Amino acid sequence: MNMQALLKQAQKMQKDLAEKDKELKSKLYEKSMGGGVIKVVMKGNMTIESIEIAEELLDKENKEDLQDMLIAGLNEVLKEVNADKESTMNQITGGIKMPGGF
């Protein structure tokens, strides 16, 4: 493979990475916890879009359960966002680790 072709391939990979990164940052991820009484929606750029809490959890007796489920829900959706980003980027790069957090 000559240098010209290698450079074109690298430029295409860089463009594909930038496009996928933009796409992933706007993608919505949703996780439900506690049988659906907590729902967390997060964008791929790690911003929380919404948290829905069922009425039955909004009393003082359920405060600790609510806190635990929120933490679990947020952690689960973060794992999904990171796994999706890593999987998508690996498809483009063939598993080669790219600088700059791609």
Side-chain angles (χ1 to χ4, degrees):
M1 183 177 275
N2 67 35
M3 288 300 286
Q4 187 78 11
L6 192 58
L7 182 59
K8 281 186 177 184
Q9 184 178 5
Q11 288 172 335
K12 182 186 181 321
M13 184 183 294
Q14 186 177 22
K15 181 183 175 195
D16 290 347
L17 283 169
E19 288 173 4
K20 283 295 182 184
D21 188 52
K22 183 178 177 181
E23 179 182 315
L24 287 171
K25 284 181 178 177
S26 64
K27 186 175 178 179
L28 293 178
Y29 298 83
E30 181 180 310
K31 283 289 177 189
S32 294
M33 303 301 294
V37 294
I38 298 277
K39 184 172 92 172
V40 177
V41 178
M42 177 182 280
K43 273 186 149 179
N45 67 358
M46 307 295 186
T47 58
I48 302 295
E49 285 293 301
S50 66
I51 298 175
E52 294 179 20
I53 303 167
E55 288 293 324
E56 65 261 25
L57 289 179
L58 297 177
D59 64 43
K60 290 181 183 183
E61 292 176 20
N62 292 322
K63 182 178 178 182
E64 284 186 34
D65 290 340
L66 175 60
Q67 291 168 333
D68 290 344
M69 282 189 270
L70 279 171
I71 290 167
L74 290 168
N75 285 329
E76 286 299 313
V77 77
L78 280 168
K79 284 181 195 175
E80 185 176 337
V81 170
N82 286 325
D84 191 32
K85 181 175 181 177
E86 185 175 332
S87 172
T88 300
M89 293 305 163
N90 281 340
Q91 290 173 6
I92 295 171
T93 66
I96 298 169
K97 296 294 180 195
M98 302 298 288
F102 283 103

